[in-house]
Amino acid sequence: MQKGACMADQTNIPDTTNQKADGTVETPASAERKVREAVEETISHKAGVKKFGTFSGVFTPTLLTILGVIMYLREGWVVGNAGLLGAWLIILLSFVITLCTALSLASVVTNIRIGAGGAFSIISQSLGLEMGGSIGIPLYIAQALAVAMYIFGFRAGWTYIFPDHPAIVVDFATFAILFGIGYVSAGLAFKVQYIILAIIIGSLVSVGWAAYGGSMSESIQWWGSFPGSPETGFTGIGFWAVFAVFFPAATGIMAGANMSGELANPRKSIPVGMLSAIGISLIIYLALAFWLASSATVDELTGNYTVMVDKAAWRPAVLGGLLGATFSSALSSIVGAPRILQALAEHNILPGSAWFAKKSAHGEPRNAMIATGALVIAALLLRNLNAIAPLITMFFLVTYAMINVVVLLEQSLKLVSFRPLMRIPRAVSLVGAFGCVFVMFIINATFSLVAVAVVLALYIYLTRKHLKAPFGDVRSGLLVAMAEWAAKKIESVTSPRQKSWKANMLVPVENPAQIAKIYDLLCNIVYPKGFVRFLGLTGQRNYQALTENLPALADRLQNDSVFATWTVVRAATFSENVAAGVEALGGAFFRSNMIFLRLSSNTERDAEFERLVDDAQTYSLGALIYLESAPKAGERAENGDEDAEDAFQTFTRREGGVHLVIDKPDGGWRIGTDLGTADLAMLLSYKLKTNWKTLLTITARIQDAGERKDALDYLRAVVEVARIPNAALRLAESEEELDYSVAADEETPAITLFSMTAPADLEALRTRGKQVRTPCLFAMDSERENALV
């Protein structure tokens, strides 16, 4: 093909600019921009609920959370231990992991209509409510407990200034103020954060003024000796231990995302506000490290946690910044946590969800706020959360890791539904995911395992709740991708697959009521790892009737832990219908390996059945022909139109067990590498014996008494090699001896199985069925089964 043959002829494309009545020209770019703005306005509009913009809803809370207490009390210690280059390396490593997570978050937010709950909404829309809930519940608890920890931090700063103030009074007074602000509205909280932002800016101005005034007179230690901390007597510390102390400073990126349900345009605000906050805070941390390294000695940096206060131009400004940082972090958490709880409740994930999900007239989660307040009070009464502080950090890191995993999966699956407006390289989400897991185990390996165990336990619990999501997710795409990978690998395997044999059955259906009558038999032939594929045939029932009834049959099997699907085909005759279905489904990866046919006393379709058995052999399929026993005196004959629900109870008699009849093999009564034509019959007999928890009797059909010893030795060898435990062995010299009803001391079997070969002699099968006077199942091997492997 000539290059560009599918391209439009550009020379004949008319000018697409539009001239308005006032003479101005509207270009395609300006038109596109207006359309985008209209769409964004439509997405963002919700009547009666106040919406926040990028600066107030995302940028400010994110920046204030990152510029927290670690910046004021621990960055100097990090510089003193690691030196300036080491501190910069720690800061950059921390922010690289956080930035990768932020980019992943930004990418996925531009691909979905994110709902309330931030990370919970993102994970739920990709991996399902179960995974979203298993992450969201610990995230909510961590966010709520973080409020108490920030209050403790605020109290430490407050009592540094006012040492005579009782600690518990400071704690509960601070909580009361925080709770009151958060309870009134998120808008009030954001207004308060503007004041705090001004205070923190003032503290940084005080540092800058000190640098301008000549504080940077100390020689810089470029790489530190890692002496440790005063608490350990300066016995030394490792690089990664210092990294673990600093890393929480780089977190806090979810502060704005937690408000996703109340942002005017989360698709725009979250990426812009979050990434800009990360960039500005990174510059501040790097600059502060340089100032600290130049303004204080190593001993001052490692031994005095308030060195930043002491070296600033105006101490009160930095102390105010320290108090403001802890207060703002607590405020962001107490505003964000109830919104996560409310989002969880809206999807019925928690007990009492209806109460937690209630909102005020202005959209404030008042009930969720009250529940969060109660949890914070309980944490404050414990007086010390240091023991579980690492676990709280783990829950945040698990959340970050899962956001990266979500984007990595979406990118890898290459589904058309994943088309974010902000695309990132796959390496970004990969680095973010591995970085989060790495940091988890660097900080505390034990609590990392505990956090993972909690998430798994919650996932199992939520899976059993059968949650109903109002949106789709990518789990089906993930499973399909795994199946495609497995299919390619299996196709490359050239060795026989007899060890992996399962009963995968194709069942032609004209009248669903007839199938219902042998439901128990079908279910127990296939259970636990096989599948049933119903092939609806437009014969006795029309297309609509089949599409209404077959799903009920498939669902019933699914409820009994048997995988089942269905489809409907149309052709002129029964055999053509079945043949068309076999040919159409033959190319599927999960192919059927046997076909199930019901043989009646009516001989009109014998030619079609015999043709189907021949076709099954051609397509390397096994064939099962089921023949019901003749009705006894007083019993009514089969009625194909009886109610399907009542018919489900027809084939449930299992007393008497399973009876397998083995004819003399072509090679005589000598065991070989397989059972000749009886492998499928043996495998099905074993499955029915196991699933019904009943007796299996194996009878060898011999020609005369001279074969008795050889036949009995053969049966013993078969049950030994085939690993068939507790099987009763019998010999029969005539067809009459196969009839259990002639033996007064033996119970009639529930079903008798025979092997058969193609071409099928259906009249001979009916004769055998009459002689044994039990339901019969005749099995033809596909030559892909082997009961002895």
Side-chain angles (χ1 to χ4, degrees):
M1 177 184 291
Q2 185 178 356
K3 184 177 179 180
C6 295
M7 302 284 290
D9 185 1
Q10 302 293 324
T11 59
N12 296 321
I13 296 178
D15 184 11
T16 57
T17 58
N18 298 319
Q19 186 168 3
K20 299 181 180 179
D22 59 1
T24 60
V25 176
E26 183 178 50
T27 64
S30 61
E32 182 183 354
R33 184 173 59 254
K34 288 186 177 181
V35 170
R36 187 183 299 113
E37 290 172 353
V39 171
E40 290 175 352
E41 183 179 356
T42 301
I43 292 174
S44 66
H45 177 71
K46 282 187 180 178
V49 179
K50 180 176 177 61
K51 294 294 181 178
F52 302 104
T54 302
F55 186 79
S56 62
V58 181
F59 174 80
T60 302
T62 303
L63 182 66
L64 293 180
T65 305
I66 296 175
L67 300 180
V69 66
I70 290 178
M71 181 182 75
Y72 288 99
L73 297 182
R74 288 294 182 270
E75 187 170 7
W77 178 84
V78 171
V79 174
N81 274 278
L84 180 58
L85 292 180
W88 278 348
L89 179 60
I90 288 172
I91 293 169
L92 290 173
L93 283 175
S94 301
F95 273 86
V96 163
I97 295 172
T98 302
L99 180 61
C100 288
T101 304
L103 289 170
S104 294
L105 177 61
S107 179
V108 73
V109 162
T110 63
N111 184 65
I112 64 174
R113 290 188 178 184
I114 184 172
F120 161 73
S121 177
I122 292 169
I123 297 170
S124 296
Q125 291 191 47
S126 292
L127 300 179
L129 280 177
E130 296 82 3
M131 182 57 71
S134 66
I135 297 294
I137 293 173
L139 177 62
Y140 163 72
I141 295 173
Q143 198 88 52
L145 294 180
V147 176
M149 294 187 65
Y150 289 132
I151 290 175
F152 291 153
F154 180 87
R155 179 240 296 166
W158 186 272
T159 54
Y160 176 82
I161 304 172
F162 306 102
D164 296 333
H165 289 186
I168 193 167
V169 174
V170 176
D171 289 345
F172 280 94
T174 306
F175 167 74
I177 296 171
L178 289 167
F179 184 82
I181 294 172
Y183 189 83
V184 171
S185 71
L188 177 60
F190 289 149
K191 291 176 182 177
V192 171
Q193 285 191 335
Y194 290 150
I195 300 174
I196 298 173
L197 179 60
I199 294 173
I200 290 179
I201 291 174
S203 71
L204 296 175
V205 169
S206 178
V207 169
W209 189 260
Y212 179 76
S215 67
M216 302 171 63
S217 59
E218 299 290 338
S219 60
I220 296 176
Q221 177 187 230
W222 294 103
W223 190 263
S225 57
F226 297 93
S229 60
E231 293 82 2
T232 61
F234 297 103
T235 55
I237 192 171
F239 175 87
W240 292 113
V242 176
F243 174 86
V245 171
F246 177 82
F247 180 79
T251 61
I253 60 173
M254 299 303 299
N258 289 338
M259 301 298 299
S260 57
E262 297 177 48
L263 296 175
N265 187 357
R267 183 174 290 179
K268 175 184 177 182
S269 295
I270 291 177
V272 173
M274 179 177 54
L275 294 175
S276 57
I278 291 173
I280 291 174
S281 58
L282 173 60
I283 294 172
I284 292 173
Y285 271 104
L286 293 173
L288 279 176
F290 181 74
W291 174 76
L292 287 164
S294 305
S295 301
T297 65
V298 173
D299 290 340
E300 288 176 320
L301 291 171
T302 56
N304 180 12
Y305 292 139
T306 59
V307 65
M308 184 172 170
V309 177
D310 296 337
K311 296 295 181 179
W314 191 44
R315 289 166 52 91
V318 179
L319 286 172
L322 171 61
L323 294 177
T326 52
F327 190 88
S328 68
S329 297
L331 190 58
S332 293
S333 296
I334 205 168
V335 170
R339 283 155 175 82
I340 299 174
L341 178 60
Q342 180 201 2
L344 291 166
E346 285 179 345
H347 295 286
N348 199 32
I349 290 175
L350 300 170
S353 289
W355 187 82
F356 291 121
K358 288 183 180 178
K359 298 181 182 180
S360 70
H362 299 288
E364 296 293 330
R366 295 283 165 76
N367 289 358
M369 177 65 77
I370 292 172
T372 303
L375 181 57
V376 174
I377 290 174
L380 291 175
L381 292 174
L382 293 176
R383 307 308 300 147
N384 192 339
L385 295 180
N386 289 340
I388 63 170
L391 183 61
I392 296 174
T393 303
M394 295 307 109
F395 286 144
F396 284 115
L397 285 172
V398 168
T399 303
Y400 294 172
M402 286 306 303
I403 290 173
N404 285 292
V405 168
V406 163
V407 177
L408 187 61
L409 285 175
E410 296 259 24
Q411 290 173 320
S412 301
L413 292 175
K414 298 180 180 179
L415 299 176
V416 69
S417 60
F418 186 69
R419 45 184 189 276
L421 300 179
M422 178 179 174
R423 293 189 174 272
I424 61 173
R426 192 183 307 180
V428 171
S429 52
L430 185 63
V431 170
F434 278 102
C436 290
V437 174
F438 173 75
V439 171
M440 285 174 61
F441 284 90
I442 283 293
I443 294 176
N444 193 307
T446 301
F447 276 118
S448 297
L449 295 175
V450 171
V452 172
V454 169
V455 171
L456 290 176
L458 287 171
Y459 180 78
I460 294 171
Y461 164 72
L462 293 176
T463 300
R464 294 175 178 175
K465 288 192 69 174
H466 303 291
L467 300 171
K468 301 296 183 182
F471 41 71
D473 54 65
V474 301
R475 285 178 295 180
S476 59
L478 176 60
L479 294 175
V480 168
M482 294 171 61
E484 289 175 346
W485 176 85
K488 294 174 183 177
K489 293 296 182 182
I490 289 175
E491 290 300 326
S492 65
V493 175
T494 57
S495 59
R497 303 173 191 171
Q498 297 162 336
K499 279 185 173 290
S500 59
W501 180 90
K502 294 178 292 187
N504 299 332
M505 192 184 306
L506 180 67
V507 183
V509 181
E510 288 184 301
N511 182 355
Q514 291 292 328
I515 296 301
K517 294 171 66 176
I518 53 172
Y519 172 84
D520 183 75
L521 177 63
L522 295 178
C523 183
N524 285 283
I525 287 176
V526 172
Y527 182 85
K529 294 297 183 181
F531 67 77
V532 173
R533 179 173 280 122
F534 291 115
L535 182 63
L537 309 176
T538 55
Q540 299 180 26
R541 296 290 187 273
N542 61 31
Y543 181 86
Q544 182 177 356
L546 285 171
T547 55
E548 290 175 355
N549 292 317
L550 288 181
L553 281 174
D555 289 344
R556 188 163 190 141
L557 283 168
Q558 298 273 26
N559 292 336
D560 286 330
S561 302
V562 173
F563 181 66
T565 60
W566 63 275
T567 189
V568 177
V569 296
R570 298 177 181 179
T573 65
F574 176 83
S575 59
E576 289 178 354
N577 259 323
V578 177
V582 170
E583 291 173 354
L585 298 172
F589 170 57
F590 294 108
R591 292 185 288 268
S592 302
N593 55 21
M594 66 182 77
I595 184 171
F596 185 96
L597 302 170
R598 296 179 70 249
L599 183 64
S600 67
S601 58
N602 191 336
T603 61
E604 290 181 359
R605 284 189 168 176
D606 280 12
E608 289 190 286
F609 270 53
E610 289 170 358
R611 175 188 165 188
L612 285 175
V613 173
D614 291 340
D615 288 344
Q617 186 180 49
T618 301
Y619 295 125
S620 297
L621 292 174
L624 304 180
I625 296 182
Y626 174 72
L627 179 65
E628 292 184 353
S629 56
K632 297 179 181 178
E635 292 183 344
R636 65 187 177 90
E638 172 188 310
N639 181 6
D641 294 323
E642 65 181 292
D643 183 71
E645 194 63 33
D646 294 337
F648 269 110
Q649 309 302 322
T650 301
F651 196 103
T652 56
R653 190 184 74 80
R654 304 175 182 180
E655 297 80 3
V658 179
H659 184 204
L660 170 63
V661 177
I662 294 181
D663 293 310
K664 184 176 181 179
D666 292 339
W669 297 109
R670 292 188 301 274
I671 191 167
T673 56
D674 56 33
L675 297 183
T677 61
D679 286 291
L680 181 57
M682 176 65 76
L683 291 170
L684 298 181
S685 300
Y686 173 75
K687 287 181 65 67
L688 291 174
K689 168 191 182 300
T690 303
N691 292 333
W692 281 347
K693 296 179 174 60
T694 188
L695 174 70
L696 171 60
T697 301
I698 305 177
T699 299
R701 174 69 172 86
I702 60 177
Q703 303 299 323
D704 54 59
E707 296 180 352
R708 296 184 66 85
K709 182 179 182 306
D710 291 341
L712 193 58
D713 289 343
Y714 175 83
L715 292 183
R716 289 170 179 161
V718 166
V719 297
E720 174 68 21
V721 177
R723 291 94 63 202
I724 309 293
N726 305 320
L729 307 180
R730 294 176 73 246
L731 301 175
E733 293 187 26
S734 65
E735 294 292 317
E736 288 75 13
E737 291 184 37
L738 298 176
D739 184 2
Y740 272 73
S741 63
V742 301
D745 59 338
E746 294 182 339
E747 191 173 7
T748 302
I751 190 170
T752 301
L753 286 88
F754 297 91
S755 62
M756 70 173 190
T757 58
D761 186 347
L762 301 185
E763 198 54 45
L765 302 188
R766 290 192 182 93
T767 300
R768 272 201 139 173
K770 292 177 181 178
Q771 289 172 336
V772 298
R773 288 193 279 189
T774 69
C776 296
L777 189 63
F778 300 91
M780 181 190 76
D781 285 15
S782 68
E783 298 184 359
R784 294 184 177 181
E785 308 87 2
N786 191 335
L788 304 184
V789 296

